[in-house]
């Protein structure tokens, strides 16, 4: 799915470079926060737009049913087994239309690429066959082969399949053990030879593959949630509300953030988590020692600064010159005329401008972060209350009112509506005056 932000130009400018993109600073020292100047008058339209269901939430049972339906469709249309249909769908990211298109354009090429021989080959019709792995002679009844017909004993098949399954999801693309053969080993062979534990692992890999390889589906990003979401590609709104009550953006899988675009949210989250704000603070509230360059914060006292050991360099906080050069001729120990003179000559313009810009940026960031964090806290409280309502209070209210819980679901819906408004407040921050 193409992102709605693909057409947006993004520039990774330095915070103080004066750039126009992202969270960079403009020439007047104010940061160009895209999230700051939003018009909140559209909130009613946004809420009603979010209520338009353009997605469906899938449980594990739903996923398996969708998967089985897709395999049945491909199997019926192409007149192949369900195991072969499963191999085709996995190879084409579970896109039924893509499978049909490629198959009818060049069936031979698709069969070769996926590992589906055009003709089902049987094992040699002999009472005893030699296993191609252990080279033991075994009765034909204890041997097995994929669609290519290469015979291997049950013990070797079991070990081969078990090793592949325990190695990870790559077992879904398993091929014949014969080095010269590329025939696919499907779920039918797994069910025939694998242990119950390995079968369970294989089914879980297959289930996850249906979601993770399919461009129309994604797992809910909430911790511990096992729901997936099937989305109508091309819909206007990317807001999704999972069955676990977690709201997220389909496009970037961050928390739901309309009306702010995904690019701005990405920059905001990066700004909250990166070390850049520490550097901002250091730049805005400290100066480097002229000798060892270690940053020093001055929060009280006179202008006489002594660096920490082992440096121990003594200097003036104002002009950063050696303290030994200061005295009556510089205006006294507590007033540095050298700094004023140098400042008038423009010696400190760049460093002072940079420090002032850092302070402005830090103040602006703090202003918006406090409001964003407060709304986030309110949202977490609302979700906790909703969970308590669903688990405990709704049942008690049903007993008190003598009504079935199904008749009280409107309370949950009203609570979720309030949650949508909280989500909007999180991102519709007030403009800086």
């Amino acid at each position: 799915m193409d992102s709605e932000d693909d057409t947006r130009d993004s520039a990774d400018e330095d915070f103080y470079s004066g750039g126009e993109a992202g969270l960079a600073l403009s020439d007047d020292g104010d940061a160009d926060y895209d999230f700051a100047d939003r018009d909140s008058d559209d909130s009613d339209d946004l809420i009603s737009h979010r209520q338009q269901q353009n997605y469906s939430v899938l449980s594990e049972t739903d996923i398996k049913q969708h998967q089985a339906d897709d395999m049945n469709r491909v199997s019926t249309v192409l007149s192949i087994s369900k195991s072969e249909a499963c191999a085709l769908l996995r190879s084409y990211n579970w896109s039924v239309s893509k499978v049909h298109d490629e198959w009818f354009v060049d069936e031979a090429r698709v069969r070769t690429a996926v590992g589906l021989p055009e003709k089902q080959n049987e094992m040699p019709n002999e009472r005893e066959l030699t296993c191609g792995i252990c080279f033991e002679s075994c009765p034909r009844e204890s041997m097995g082969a994929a669609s290519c017909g290469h015979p291997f004993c049950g013990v070797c098949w079991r070990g081969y399949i078990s090793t592949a399954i325990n190695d990870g999801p790559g077992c879904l693309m398993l091929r014949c053990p014969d080095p010269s053969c590329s025939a696919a080993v499907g779920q039918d062979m797994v069910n025939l030879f694998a242990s119950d534990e390995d079968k369970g692992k294989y089914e879980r890999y297959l289930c996850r593959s249906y979601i993770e390889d399919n461009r129309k589906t994604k797992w809910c990003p909430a911790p511990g949630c096992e729901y997936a979401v099937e989305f109508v590609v091309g819909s206007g709104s990317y807001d999704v509300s999972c069955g676990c009550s977690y709201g997220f953006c389909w496009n970037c899988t961050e928390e739901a953030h309309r009306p702010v675009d995904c690019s701005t949210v990405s920059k905001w989250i990066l700004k909250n988590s990166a070390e850049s704000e520490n550097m901002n603070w250091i730049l805005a509230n400290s100066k480097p020692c002229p000798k060892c360059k270690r940053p020093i914060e001055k929060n009280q006292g006179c202008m006489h600064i002594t660096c920490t050991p082992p440096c121990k360099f003594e200097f003036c906080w104002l002009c950063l010159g050696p303290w030994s050069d200061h005295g009556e001729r510089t205006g006294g120990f507590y007033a540095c005329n050298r700094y004023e003179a140098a400042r008038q000559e423009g010696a400190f313009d760049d460093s002072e401008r940079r420090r002032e810009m850092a302070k402005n940026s830090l103040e602006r960031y703090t202003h918006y972060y406090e409001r964003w964090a407060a709304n986030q806290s309110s949202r977490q409280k609302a979700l906790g209350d909703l969970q308590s309502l669903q688990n405990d209070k709704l049942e008690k209210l049903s007993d008190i009112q003598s009504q079935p819980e199904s008749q009280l679901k409107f309370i949950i819906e009203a609570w979720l509506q309030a949650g949508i408004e909280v989500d909007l407040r999180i991102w519709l921050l007030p403009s800086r005056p």
Side-chain angles (χ1 to χ4, degrees), residues 369-388:
Y369 181 80
E370 287 176 349
R371 285 148 182 78
W372 180 81
N375 284 325
Q376 281 282 56
S377 177
S378 299
R379 182 178 182 276
Q380 295 301 324
K381 175 69 165 57
L383 288 176
D385 292 344
L386 175 61
Q387 193 69 24
S388 174

Side-chain angles (χ1 to χ4, degrees), residues 282-304:
I282 291 172
L283 183 62
N285 297 280
S286 68
K287 291 183 180 181
C289 169
K291 184 177 181 182
C292 68
K293 306 303 179 183
R294 196 175 342 181
I296 297 175
E297 177 192 6
K298 179 183 180 302
N299 52 21
Q300 60 182 349
C302 67
M303 302 304 167
H304 181 193

